[in-house]
């Protein structure tokens, strides 16, 4: 809830981003899609099968989300803190799944009441293990 009209856009952008996470966790694809611009840029870092830059909501729906679901079944992101600089929201996120429990950061850009950019800032343990010749348990 926003108390000052001057800061309304800040509250609105944070609430929109919170709604995106809620839609993802609740598997509400219609709401998830409605919060994204048609030409959203969606970046998932690393060297995993689902890593890459996805351009447009169709690629997100057809490639990014199915790839994440396949590689990380049951993945649920729970944001715990938000910071904002203009239209850019930084989210500290607790990520949970049956085989995973870690914290990460996401960068989200909002324009015209739509999310136009999303980037996960995960530490790529897969790439690090390869670099150090380690086996992943």
């Amino acid at each position: 809830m926003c108390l000052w009209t001057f800061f309304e856009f800040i509250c609105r952008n944070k609430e929109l981003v919170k709604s995106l996470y809620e839609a993802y966790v609740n598997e509400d694809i219609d709401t998830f899609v409605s919060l994204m611009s048609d030409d959203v840029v969606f970046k998932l870092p690393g060297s995993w099968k689902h890593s890459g830059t996805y351009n447009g909501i169709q690629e997100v729906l057809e490639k990014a989300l199915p790839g994440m679901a396949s590689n990380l079944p049951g993945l649920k992101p729970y944001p715990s803190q938000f910071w904002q600089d203009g239209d850019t929201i930084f989210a500290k996120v607790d990520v949970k799944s049956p085989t995973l429990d870690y914290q990460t950061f996401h960068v989200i850009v909002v324009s015209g009441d739509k999310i136009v950019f999303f980037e996960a800032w995960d530490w790529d343990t897969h790439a690090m293990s390869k670099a150090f010749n380690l086996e992943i348990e």
Side-chain angles (χ1 to χ4, degrees), residues 10-84:
I10 293 174
C11 293
R12 184 175 58 239
N13 287 351
K14 284 184 184 178
E15 290 304 315
L16 185 132
V17 170
K18 286 180 186 178
S19 296
L20 181 76
Y21 286 103
E22 288 171 10
Y24 185 88
V25 166
N26 294 318
E27 300 178 13
D28 180 355
I29 196 69
D30 292 333
T31 299
F32 184 88
V33 168
S34 75
L35 298 170
M36 298 263 195
S37 73
D38 290 340
D39 58 351
V40 65
V41 174
F42 198 87
K43 291 185 170 188
L44 300 172
S47 54
W48 304 97
K49 291 179 184 176
H50 64 270
S51 299
T53 299
Y54 301 92
N55 296 296
I57 191 63
Q58 283 309 117
E59 275 196 4
V60 171
L61 293 173
E62 294 170 4
K63 296 179 182 176
L65 297 183
M68 288 176 13
S70 171
N71 292 324
L72 302 165
L75 178 82
K76 303 285 184 184
Y78 299 99
S80 59
Q81 289 181 289
F82 294 96
W83 299 271
Q84 183 166 354

Side-chain angles (χ1 to χ4, degrees), residues 125-137:
T125 53
H126 186 253
M128 293 298 289
S129 68
K130 281 179 154 181
F132 291 112
N133 251 352
L134 300 173
E135 293 292 323
I136 297 176
E137 295 182 21

Side-chain angles (χ1 to χ4, degrees), residues 45-120:
S47 54
W48 304 97
K49 291 179 184 176
H50 64 270
S51 299
T53 299
Y54 301 92
N55 296 296
I57 191 63
Q58 283 309 117
E59 275 196 4
V60 171
L61 293 173
E62 294 170 4
K63 296 179 182 176
L65 297 183
M68 288 176 13
S70 171
N71 292 324
L72 302 165
L75 178 82
K76 303 285 184 184
Y78 299 99
S80 59
Q81 289 181 289
F82 294 96
W83 299 271
Q84 183 166 354
D85 183 15
D87 288 336
T88 303
I89 308 283
F90 302 90
K92 181 180 176 186
V93 182
D94 297 313
V95 179
K96 312 265 186 207
S97 81
T99 60
L100 197 61
D101 186 356
Y102 73 101
Q103 291 183 329
T104 187
F105 284 90
H106 294 162
V107 178
I108 303 107
V109 178
V110 177
S111 179
D113 291 330
K114 295 283 186 177
I115 293 166
V116 297
F117 180 84
F118 174 94
E119 184 171 11

